[in-house]
Amino acid sequence: MKKFFFLFLVLFSFTKASHAHYFSESYSNWSIIDNKVSATFTILKLEATRVLQIDSFQELGKEKELSEGEVFLEYFKSRISVLNSGNQCTLKKQATLVDGKKEYHTIEFMYVCDATDSIKIINNVLFDIAQSHVHLSRIKKDNKIFEKALFYNDQTILLDNIDQDEEKSFFSNLSSFIYSGIIHILTGLDHLIFLIGLFILVNNFKHLLLVITGFTVGHSITLALVALDIVMPNTLMIEALIGFTIIFIAAEYMIKDSKLSNRIVSVLVSILVLIGLSSLVLEIPISLITSFALILITIGYFGIIKSIKNYGIFRIIITSLFGLIHGFGFGVFLFNSEFNQSNILSALFGFNIGVEIGQIILLLVLIGLSSFCLKVLNSEKYEYLLKYSMVLVSSMGFYWFIQRLYF
């Protein structure tokens, strides 16, 4: 047990040094009236801190005593441009930070072009830092609304091409949202790590399918609630809780066949108690009440699995609850894209299908890797591989949980 704890510390340090963030995303709304192109750009404040990885901007912030938002603004200014027939449009309103959602930076700016035809929007924000970054743009022109996702290999919006498009059909929108769902799950490292942890924890394929189904039902419910603007959760709290779900399943794995189960649960509860107490003096996303609820869930669940042999149904229930948490994360991504409300069915249905396809792809890869390892390793070495892998899972979950609460 000591060597696994030592490995956890090493991996946790490595994870922290990697400055790993969750899924990288940003959003913008563009309005084109006559020859004026005005826009609002939105990004999660925590996501914007990626800019501090660049030494020149880190030094700029210290030299001029700028806030993190102001540093991001300086980075932002040179990475957005609007062209008309190949010529740079005039910047009429300088990019400025404005009041918006609490956890987000909101930037407004406006260009004036010589004409409204052949307009090209170029957005290079964060793609030079995170190649997995996805930007969702919503453009309104001539009383029509268009949407486009920008990726590392496609950072431009050509309005001439958009103008030639007819209103998209349900099925063309569906395919677009399916693709977005697949990209979201396969580039969302925290979601992937959670699923890897489940795969290691549940060694029965039939039970694994039931657990994954519970997770799917859970995240489908909250994805719909958020996308329909029925519920809007605290984004930072949800991101932190996703880290906690990873720690939770890692703790369950470590408790199996372990004489130190009480100690492991005590450590988990102690962490939650400290977080609850710190919420009284620090402004963090998780309140004392939330911490208390997590403590009750932790003690209750691990008490149940310790006292009964067949606790499979309880694992399905807890995984479904965790699915609700992850669904908030999926839903916030979809909601912040501010997709056209006429696309609501294709957005929800397609995005959810895409997420499920992404999960299936990951599970097939894990099954293939597991089969290969079983062929080349004996059972003892295979078990060690699983244990070390779960230590990595737990260290990443712990890092995300703490980092998203305090930094």
Side-chain angles (χ1 to χ4, degrees):
M1 189 66 187
K2 290 183 179 179
K3 60 183 178 183
F4 289 130
F5 179 72
F6 175 74
L7 180 61
F8 169 84
L9 292 177
V10 172
L11 291 174
F12 174 70
S13 301
F14 173 78
T15 306
K16 182 174 181 181
S18 69
H19 198 68
H21 278 262
Y22 40 88
F23 186 79
S24 180
E25 59 200 39
S26 56
Y27 318 92
S28 63
N29 284 284
W30 299 79
S31 176
I32 301 174
I33 302 175
D34 296 329
N35 63 334
K36 295 180 180 179
V37 181
S38 55
T40 301
F41 182 98
T42 307
I43 187 169
L44 192 67
K45 289 180 179 178
L46 183 60
E47 181 65 21
T49 61
R50 286 180 181 269
V51 172
L52 299 177
Q53 297 178 39
I54 302 176
D55 292 339
S56 59
F57 285 98
Q58 194 174 69
E59 292 169 3
L60 178 68
K62 292 178 180 177
E63 180 183 337
K64 296 188 176 182
E65 297 183 348
L66 302 177
S67 67
E68 289 181 351
E70 291 169 333
V71 172
F72 179 77
L73 182 63
E74 292 303 313
Y75 163 86
F76 173 87
K77 289 177 181 178
S78 62
R79 287 165 174 80
I80 288 280
S81 58
V82 178
L83 288 77
N84 171 228
S85 299
N87 298 316
Q88 183 78 38
C89 294
T90 303
L91 184 61
K92 188 70 174 179
K93 179 183 177 182
Q94 186 77 23
T96 308
L97 285 167
V98 298
D99 292 336
K101 299 177 184 177
K102 183 178 178 181
E103 299 100 353
Y104 291 83
H105 288 309
T106 302
I107 299 172
E108 290 184 352
F109 53 98
M110 184 177 73
Y111 287 87
V112 175
C113 302
D114 294 334
T116 58
D117 58 333
S118 302
I119 289 180
K120 177 193 284 189
I121 297 170
I122 302 175
N123 174 9
N124 297 321
V125 178
L126 284 188
F127 291 107
D128 57 336
I129 302 175
Q131 293 189 9
S132 62
H133 184 72
V134 175
H135 179 86
L136 297 177
S137 297
R138 192 169 189 249
I139 307 103
K140 184 176 182 181
K141 182 184 179 188
D142 299 331
N143 295 319
K144 292 183 179 180
I145 297 175
F146 311 94
E147 291 140 3
K148 182 178 180 181
L150 303 182
F151 302 94
Y152 177 74
N153 60 348
D154 181 11
Q155 302 167 24
T156 62
I157 303 171
L158 300 173
L159 294 194
D160 280 358
N161 293 347
I162 290 177
D163 289 341
Q164 293 170 6
D165 290 341
E166 297 295 329
E167 287 294 324
K168 289 186 176 180
S169 67
F170 172 85
F171 291 104
S172 61
N173 277 315
L174 183 68
S175 62
S176 174
F177 284 111
I178 288 174
Y179 178 74
S180 294
I182 294 172
I183 293 297
H184 186 81
I185 189 69
L186 293 182
T187 56
L189 185 58
D190 47 7
H191 299 300
L192 293 180
I193 292 296
F194 177 81
L195 291 171
I196 291 171
L198 274 183
F199 181 83
I200 297 172
L201 174 65
V202 184
N203 53 18
N204 180 290
F205 185 72
K206 181 180 179 181
H207 187 58
L208 178 63
L209 288 179
L210 292 174
V211 168
I212 293 296
T213 300
F215 178 74
T216 296
V217 171
H219 75 61
S220 298
I221 292 171
T222 46
L223 190 156
L225 291 175
V226 176
L228 292 170
D229 199 16
I230 297 173
V231 178
M232 183 49 61
N234 181 320
T235 305
L236 294 180
M237 181 184 73
I238 292 302
E239 298 296 344
L241 288 179
I242 288 174
F244 177 76
T245 64
I246 297 171
I247 300 172
F248 198 94
I249 60 172
E252 182 179 347
Y253 178 83
M254 293 174 187
I255 282 173
K256 289 198 311 180
D257 303 323
S258 174
K259 296 178 181 179
L260 301 174
S261 58
N262 289 338
R263 189 177 298 180
I264 292 172
V265 174
S266 296
V267 170
L268 196 54
V269 171
S270 298
I271 292 170
L272 293 173
V273 169
L274 289 173
I275 288 171
L277 292 175
S278 68
S279 70
L280 298 175
V281 294
L282 298 174
E283 188 177 346
I284 61 174
I286 290 183
S287 65
L288 180 62
I289 295 175
T290 305
S291 298
F292 183 69
L294 293 176
I295 290 171
L296 290 180
I297 292 172
T298 301
I299 294 174
Y301 180 73
F302 287 115
I304 289 172
I305 67 173
K306 186 179 177 181
S307 59
I308 62 176
K309 290 185 178 181
N310 187 13
Y311 56 87
I313 185 65
F314 294 100
R315 180 181 285 156
I316 294 172
I317 292 172
I318 198 71
T319 307
S320 300
L321 291 175
F322 289 166
L324 294 174
I325 295 172
H326 285 250
F328 279 126
F330 295 142
V332 167
F333 172 81
L334 196 57
F335 175 81
N336 279 329
S337 69
E338 297 188 8
F339 53 86
N340 192 334
Q341 290 299 308
S342 64
N343 296 335
I344 191 70
L345 287 178
S346 58
L348 283 174
F349 189 57
F351 191 80
N352 211 32
I353 289 176
V355 169
E356 299 320 309
I357 292 174
Q359 288 184 174
I360 292 170
I361 291 172
L362 174 65
L363 289 176
L364 290 175
V365 170
L366 291 175
I367 290 170
L369 287 174
S370 179
S371 299
F372 173 77
C373 291
L374 282 170
K375 288 182 179 179
V376 299
L377 300 174
N378 59 41
S379 59
E380 183 178 353
K381 289 182 179 179
Y382 180 72
E383 285 300 319
Y384 266 101
L385 175 63
L386 293 182
K387 288 178 180 178
Y388 284 122
S389 298
M390 190 58 95
V391 171
L392 175 60
V393 167
S394 64
S395 62
M396 295 187 74
F398 185 73
Y399 169 70
W400 282 319
F401 185 45
I402 299 301
Q403 186 254 353
R404 294 170 184 181
L405 285 178
Y406 296 104
F407 303 101

